[in-house]
């Protein structure tokens, strides 16, 4: 199954980013924090796959890489617009993006290319299991703003569609061995610690910068969202650990049935695009 680059625009409005999540501002700022990582993070993913591209001989995988790069570039563009709206609403987004960028630029200069690819496939796994949860439990992104819902669902669907591409590049350039298993699994451990550290710190920073809410407003909902039975952390734990199985492949989690939703989503995005033009 080949992923497809889709040039969709969701045309978020300034209202879209204002306390947009049905479960309150703490949850909204958790997703806003994720949005801050995407443009720079996805550029890093693209770069780490490109570094190995010429060593990939399978023409199908070459086509998948082209689509992967195209999809991540489109995600970056839409999340940049999202982040710009947050900046216009008074959040110190560009400073926060700058810190993520500095870390990733450091990684690009100092880490061996294989470690960069290992970080990429680990974070793609993380993204894929978040996407799977979002598609399984649509209330994860419940909002009165249909553009926001559509943007997150589109991103989740395309992350699902291309979830194995970077992983397959890793497999194509590194044959199975204990050393490569260690590189891959340590990548997940390190990437998870850094990613969760940033996600938590950025969620708090956004809450503290939000002058329209108190620091603890909606905290009960947020803790339930994160830690309750059936919540984010407990749902993510099993699929996260699966990555550490020696023969793991992203399509071991076969959730391709969700991809049937893409056509509906394209129609919806086109409507948003036209609405603004009208
Ligand atoms: Fe993406
Ligand atoms: Fe991705």
């Amino acid at each position: 199954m080949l992923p497809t680059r889709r040039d969709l625009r969701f045309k978020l409005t300034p209202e879209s980013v204002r306390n947009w999540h049905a479960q309150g501002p703490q949850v909204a700022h958790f997703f806003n924090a994720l949005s801050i990582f995407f443009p720079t993070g996805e550029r890093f993913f693209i770069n780490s796959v490109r570094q190995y591209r010429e060593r990939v001989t399978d023409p199908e995988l070459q086509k998948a890489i082209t689509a992967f790069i195209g999809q991540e570039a489109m995600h970056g563009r839409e999340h940049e617009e999202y982040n710009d709206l947050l900046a216009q609403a008074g959040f110190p987004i560009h400073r926060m993006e700058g810190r993520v960028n500095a870390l990733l630029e450091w990684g690009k200069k100092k880490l061996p290319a294989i470690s960069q690819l290992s970080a990429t496939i680990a974070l793609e796994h993380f993204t894929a299991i978040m996407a799977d949860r979002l598609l399984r439990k649509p209330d994860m992104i419940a909002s009165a703003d249909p553009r926001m819902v559509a943007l997150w669902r589109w991103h989740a669907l395309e992350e699902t569609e291309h979830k194995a591409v970077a992983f397959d590049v890793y497999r194509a350039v590194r044959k199975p061995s204990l050393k490569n298993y260690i590189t891959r699994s340590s990548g997940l451990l390190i990437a998870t610690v850094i990613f969760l550290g940033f996600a938590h710190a950025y969620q708090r920073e956004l809450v503290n910068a939000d002058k329209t809410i108190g620091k603890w407003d909606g905290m009960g909902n947020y803790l339930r969202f994160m830690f309750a039975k059936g919540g984010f952390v407990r749902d993510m734990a099993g699929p996260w650990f699966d990555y550490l199985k020696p023969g793991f492949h992203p399509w071991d989690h076969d959730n391709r049935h969700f991809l049937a939703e893409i056509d509906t989503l394209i129609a919806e995005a086109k409507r948003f695009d036209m609405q603004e033009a009208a």
Side-chain angles (χ1 to χ4, degrees):
M1 178 193 20
L2 270 179
T4 309
R5 172 188 176 276
R6 302 178 184 85
D7 183 3
L8 301 182
R9 290 177 180 272
F10 295 85
K11 300 279 174 72
L12 297 184
T13 66
E15 281 67 44
S16 302
V17 299
R18 237 170 253 151
N19 198 3
W20 58 272
H21 202 288
Q23 292 176 59
Q26 304 278 342
V27 179
H29 283 312
F30 171 72
F31 285 101
N32 294 343
L34 296 184
S35 182
I36 295 174
F37 306 137
F38 284 131
T40 31
E42 289 172 328
R43 275 197 293 276
F44 178 87
F45 300 165
I46 291 171
N47 184 67
S48 63
V49 167
R50 270 201 184 124
Q51 297 187 96
Y52 282 99
R53 185 167 195 172
E54 61 186 30
R55 287 171 54 183
V56 171
T57 51
D58 175 0
E60 283 298 293
L61 185 52
Q62 279 291 354
K63 280 189 214 156
I65 293 170
T66 303
F68 166 81
I69 292 172
Q71 287 191 338
E72 295 294 35
M74 294 296 102
H75 302 166
R77 182 191 71 193
E78 291 306 296
H79 279 277
E80 254 161 32
E81 285 191 13
Y82 179 162
N83 298 344
D84 284 345
L85 289 167
L86 288 169
Q88 284 164 30
F91 294 98
I93 300 303
H94 299 308
R95 211 168 59 219
M96 295 169 85
E97 278 180 328
R99 276 181 246 140
V100 180
N101 199 34
L103 175 72
L104 295 177
E105 283 302 316
W106 175 87
K108 269 158 67 176
K109 280 194 203 94
K110 302 284 179 193
L111 295 176
I114 197 66
S115 304
Q116 297 175 41
L117 187 60
S118 166
T120 295
I121 59 175
L123 288 165
E124 281 283 285
H125 175 63
F126 214 95
T127 317
I129 62 177
M130 279 198 289
D132 178 68
R133 185 172 185 274
L134 192 154
L135 296 169
R136 247 171 245 288
K137 296 190 170 172
D139 67 342
M140 182 166 156
I141 207 76
S143 172
D145 190 294
R147 293 164 192 265
M148 201 55 137
V149 177
L151 180 137
W152 283 101
R153 286 190 79 72
W154 162 70
H155 199 164
L157 283 165
E158 291 197 345
E159 287 303 322
T160 303
E161 202 175 30
H162 75 224
K163 67 179 174 177
V165 176
F167 195 94
D168 287 341
V169 171
Y170 184 83
R171 284 207 310 186
V173 299
R174 291 280 149 144
K175 297 301 159 220
S177 70
L178 179 63
K179 184 172 166 233
N180 290 323
Y181 170 73
I182 292 169
T183 306
R184 177 170 79 74
S185 33
S186 60
L188 183 70
L189 299 173
I190 296 165
T192 301
V193 170
I194 294 175
F195 175 75
L196 292 182
F198 257 103
H200 174 71
Y202 274 24
Q203 193 270 355
R204 297 319 300 155
E205 192 165 342
L206 290 169
V207 168
N208 290 335
D210 191 337
K211 300 298 169 226
T212 67
I213 59 165
K215 221 172 159 177
W216 306 106
D217 287 359
M219 190 49 109
N221 275 353
Y222 184 52
L223 293 176
R224 264 192 298 280
F225 170 85
M226 278 291 170
F227 302 108
K229 194 165 173 230
F232 184 80
V233 172
R234 292 205 209 174
D235 278 1
M236 294 278 285
W240 185 90
F241 274 110
D242 286 343
Y243 188 87
L244 302 177
K245 289 181 188 158
F248 174 79
H249 185 269
W251 284 114
D252 292 350
H253 297 155
D254 190 356
N255 58 354
R256 70 191 72 202
H257 61 281
F258 287 123
L259 301 178
E261 293 176 28
I262 286 181
D263 288 345
T264 319
L265 209 86
I266 293 172
E268 212 174 337
K270 287 196 172 135
R271 228 181 52 231
F272 296 144
D273 209 352
M274 281 178 335
Q275 273 169 3
E276 178 158 299

